[in-house]
Structure formats: structure tokens, C-alpha cells
Amino acid sequence: MNGLVLEGGARRCIFTAGVLDCFMDNLIEFDYVAGVSNGAQAGLNFVSGQRGRSRDVMMPYIEKFTEKIQDPLSSDLHKIIYEFSYSQYPFDFDKFFSSGVECEIVATDCIDAAPEYFSVKDDEKRLLDCLRASCSLPLLFPTVTIDGREYMDGSITDAIPFERAFSRGCDRVVAVNSKPVDESATDYSKLGILIRNRYSKIYPKLTERLLNRLQYYQQQCRQLQERIDEGSLFLIRPDETYVKSYELNREHLEAAYDIGYRMAEEKMPELRRFLHDKRP
């Protein structure tokens, strides 16, 4: 059983979009897909077979510069997830729901500070709400209520959900990261005062997790390397930082997309051998 896991990273995931479009062009398929934040959106588009949609929705649009709005980041997120799904870049809900691929969206439970893995098969609004929860970065976005519980950014508790893929029965996992090896995750301890003021009274476990998030991420990266060394995980990641999380330069984004596509294309023979390796 083959699995695909996709790290988040806002517009850094334009690299992921290039990789997945190359996968679709080469008819690469997976039994299980899990994504975090914008990686989750890329995963949904991959399962629905919508080549180019991830690239399109990650590109800046003119309203960014002309609209006078109170909270531009929240407006961006709402537009990308809810409006685009039914208007400029329609999401193929029917094809996604009819797919036999198990697809999970990772979000963080704010009370327990634990990952939640949402699999939605027949409810359009719930699917988009779960995606929004996975994308809701601390301090920048409000939490999202699902089934009476509050959720936010999945990368806080499971930034690269490869162990989840193995626990679901995968024996080979492909991971696509949005950051190069020498770039680590956001260190929320540097925002300790803001984090404590915002969350410590209502979400004490989440506060602790955020303040130690960098250490958790670094530990996960060490475990990721162990899986690579044992031969059960195939990693694709950029070799340098091509774009920032909220990059607005279309040329830079186009270049990062092309780099992701070409890197996947170059690795295709090795990837096919990995996926078709007959394990005992």
C-alpha cells in the first residue's frame, strides 16, 4: 500500500503543486493521501485529479492590492477555500468523494493539543471547514469549530504525517516537503508573550505545544530521516528556499512551481522503482 504525505507552508506549497502535477502527468497514484495546511489543499486537488488547480489557487490575485479590508490574510484564506471552490477554480467534489483513495486532512485539537485526522466522504461544507482548520495559523487566524471542538493549524502537532500513513497500513510512503533541509519550522517560542497572552488561559496544552513546536518538528525530521535510511520513505523537497510563505511575486512562484515539476520528473525513474518495490 502506497501513501503520500504533504507538508504545509502556505505559498511555499507551489513547489508541491509542481511535484503533484508531474505525478498526475505520469499517472502516479496512491492508496492514501494526507496533507497539512496548504499541503492538504494540494492533496485534495490531487485526489480529485485536477491538474493545475493547486497552482492556480496559490497565485496572488488582483484584489490583494485593490481591496481595502480589515484582515487581508483571513480574506485570502476564505476566498481560496470557500469562494474559489465554487467559482473561479471549481473543486470537483463528485470526483473527490467517489475516489477510492483514503484522504485525510490534519488539524490540531486546541484543547488536547493533539492531531486530528479528518476524512470526509460526502459533505462539501465539512470538507472545506476541515481544510480551513488545517490552514488556520496561530495568532493570524481564528480557530475553526468542528463537531463542537476548536481546531487550528495541523502543522503544530503533525507537520509531516508520515507516521500516520504507516499506521494506516502503508508500507511505502512518499513525502513532499515545502522547505529545504537547512530551513526549519517556525519557532513560536520567539513569540512567547503573544502566544501566552492569546492562548494560555483557554488552551494551556496548546500553548505548551506551540512554545516547544520547533523541538517537536526537529524530532520529527530525525524520524523522517530514519524512515528514509531504512528504505520505507521517499522524500522530495526543494534544495533551497525559492519563495516565502506569503510570496506575492508571480515570477518567483512560477519558478518554484517549475522547479517542483522538474525535480519530480528527474526523480521519476527512482520513484517508480520505490513504489513498485516488492516487500516481503
Side-chain angles (χ1 to χ4, degrees):
M1 181 170 166
N2 296 332
L4 172 68
V5 298
L6 307 167
E7 185 180 30
R11 284 198 171 101
R12 295 173 188 266
C13 290
I14 196 75
F15 171 86
T16 305
V19 171
L20 297 188
D21 281 354
C22 183
F23 284 2
M24 282 188 265
D25 288 346
N26 284 273
L27 305 180
I28 301 297
E29 297 179 341
F30 296 90
D31 306 295
Y32 172 89
V33 176
V36 182
S37 188
N38 220 8
Q41 175 154 239
L44 299 186
N45 296 328
F46 180 77
V47 173
S48 66
Q50 291 180 267
R51 187 196 187 285
R53 186 176 187 274
S54 292
R55 173 193 169 281
D56 289 341
V57 300
M58 288 185 214
M59 286 294 170
Y61 40 90
I62 192 66
E63 290 87 346
K64 179 75 179 182
F65 303 98
T66 59
E67 286 184 347
K68 293 182 179 179
I69 49 183
Q70 288 291 99
D71 189 348
L73 286 179
S74 289
S75 176
D76 268 6
L77 187 62
H78 187 276
K79 185 181 290 287
I80 289 169
I81 292 177
Y82 295 99
E83 294 182 33
F84 283 1
S85 294
Y86 294 99
S87 57
Q88 291 98 319
Y89 310 107
F91 181 70
D92 193 337
F93 289 99
D94 289 340
K95 189 170 181 182
F96 177 82
F97 289 140
S98 64
S99 169
V101 177
E102 180 182 3
C103 184
E104 293 190 313
I105 299 171
V106 186
T108 294
D109 184 306
C110 295
I111 296 295
D112 295 337
E116 183 72 33
Y117 305 93
F118 290 102
S119 178
V120 183
K121 291 296 186 182
D122 57 4
D123 187 324
E124 294 180 9
K125 184 181 184 301
R126 181 180 177 85
L127 180 69
L128 298 181
D129 286 346
C130 292
L131 179 58
R132 183 181 176 191
S134 185
C135 293
S136 293
L137 295 171
L139 300 178
L140 293 179
F141 301 116
T143 61
V144 177
T145 303
I146 301 172
D147 299 333
R149 296 183 71 87
E150 300 296 312
Y151 295 93
M152 65 167 57
D153 178 23
S155 72
I156 299 167
T157 49
D158 197 355
I160 315 167
F162 58 95
E163 290 297 350
R164 173 66 177 180
F166 287 117
S167 75
R168 299 300 296 170
C170 297
D171 52 5
R172 290 172 296 265
V173 173
V174 175
V176 182
N177 286 11
S178 62
K179 295 186 288 293
V181 67
D182 59 351
E183 183 177 345
S184 193
T186 302
D187 184 0
Y188 286 110
S189 68
K190 294 179 179 179
L191 303 171
I193 294 175
L194 292 174
I195 294 291
R196 290 187 180 91
N197 286 344
R198 178 72 67 87
Y199 301 119
S200 62
K201 291 184 179 179
I202 51 175
Y203 306 130
K205 291 182 180 179
L206 178 70
T207 301
E208 185 278 333
R209 183 77 188 205
L210 282 168
L211 295 177
N212 293 283
R213 189 254 180 154
L214 182 58
Q215 292 93 315
Y216 285 115
Y217 182 83
Q218 291 170 338
Q219 179 183 5
Q220 188 171 49
C221 288
R222 290 191 292 271
Q223 295 169 338
L224 182 78
Q225 187 59 51
E226 291 173 3
R227 288 290 194 176
I228 294 171
D229 293 341
E230 74 180 23
S232 61
L233 189 143
F234 188 97
L235 177 63
I236 300 178
R237 71 189 316 164
D239 51 9
E240 61 180 89
T241 300
Y242 295 104
V243 294
K244 298 295 185 181
S245 295
Y246 296 100
E247 179 69 60
L248 293 176
N249 186 304
R250 291 183 67 93
E251 290 184 0
H252 294 170
L253 289 162
E254 292 278 10
Y257 169 87
D258 291 341
I259 289 166
Y261 190 101
R262 289 198 304 270
M263 185 175 290
E265 200 168 37
E266 292 167 0
K267 292 179 177 288
M268 193 57 59
E270 184 182 358
L271 175 65
R272 289 188 187 280
R273 288 194 296 271
F274 171 80
L275 292 175
H276 294 99
D277 175 31
K278 301 299 183 182
R279 296 174 182 273

